[in-house]
Amino acid sequence: MSFATCDLCDANEDKLASGALSVLPPVFQAYGAVDQFSGRASTLKLFEDNGMVRTVLETPGQGRVLVVDGGGSLRCALLGGNLGVLAQNNGWAGVIVHGCIRDVAEINDCQIGVRALGVMPVRSIKRGGGEHEVRISIAGVAVHPGDWIYADQDGILISQQALQ
């Protein structure tokens, strides 16, 4: 599907007004070889522990977007090159990390879209903690499992239903 988030916002002003369509704040940087991606949300809530990120990305993505609420931590990376390749090979459309990534050169070679707050070379701990497929909140914007994600160079949209 080809789309532009600007056009989707213009065509769905009623959904923006009602809250059925939200926009993540412009704090995310773009990585990965894919500039534009969309799909149903799969959510993770965790803090400085990316064990569950691997577990989820090992499953078939079926064109979904993994949205990771890492609490906005800038102290370690929650996604690296190996996980980027795993996401690509298992059919994930993209990964959005409310936190940091690392191995940018490797991630930029992956045929997925990635958005993150920034880059940090320190890896996370791996205790396996976190919650999967729960409502998360990123900078005050709610993301539910199954929401529709639309991301391009202009922004990231969260929609309760598929947009035209």
Side-chain angles (χ1 to χ4, degrees), residues 70-148:
S73 174
L74 303 177
R75 297 189 302 198
C76 66
L78 297 174
L79 183 78
N82 291 336
L83 296 182
V85 169
L86 194 59
Q88 169 192 274
N89 292 345
N90 285 328
W92 290 85
V95 181
I96 298 171
V97 181
H98 189 226
C100 291
I101 65 166
R102 68 187 212 160
D103 303 321
V104 172
E106 293 173 36
I107 287 176
N108 285 344
D109 285 339
C110 293
Q111 292 301 311
I112 59 169
V114 175
R115 300 294 185 272
L117 297 179
V119 178
M120 171 55 70
V122 177
R123 68 179 170 187
S124 80
I125 56 173
K126 290 171 181 51
R127 290 189 298 249
E131 299 173 85
H132 184 221
E133 300 300 11
V134 295
R135 178 195 177 277
I136 59 175
S137 179
I138 297 177
V141 176
V143 182
H144 299 87
D147 280 351
W148 287 89

Side-chain angles (χ1 to χ4, degrees), residues 3-127:
F3 63 88
T5 56
C6 293
D7 293 342
L8 290 174
C9 285
D10 292 351
N12 292 281
E13 289 179 339
D14 59 327
K15 290 178 182 66
L16 282 168
S18 73
L21 174 61
S22 302
V23 183
L24 290 182
V27 296
F28 291 89
Q29 304 299 314
Y31 306 96
V34 177
D35 289 332
Q36 177 192 80
F37 60 96
S38 65
R40 302 295 294 262
S42 177
T43 62
L44 274 177
K45 182 179 177 108
L46 46 85
F47 190 72
E48 297 183 356
D49 178 348
N50 76 342
M52 283 190 75
V53 175
R54 173 175 289 282
T55 299
V56 171
L57 292 178
E58 286 175 340
T59 66
Q62 301 170 322
R64 290 177 295 160
V65 176
L66 180 60
V67 185
V68 180
D69 177 4
S73 174
L74 303 177
R75 297 189 302 198
C76 66
L78 297 174
L79 183 78
N82 291 336
L83 296 182
V85 169
L86 194 59
Q88 169 192 274
N89 292 345
N90 285 328
W92 290 85
V95 181
I96 298 171
V97 181
H98 189 226
C100 291
I101 65 166
R102 68 187 212 160
D103 303 321
V104 172
E106 293 173 36
I107 287 176
N108 285 344
D109 285 339
C110 293
Q111 292 301 311
I112 59 169
V114 175
R115 300 294 185 272
L117 297 179
V119 178
M120 171 55 70
V122 177
R123 68 179 170 187
S124 80
I125 56 173
K126 290 171 181 51
R127 290 189 298 249

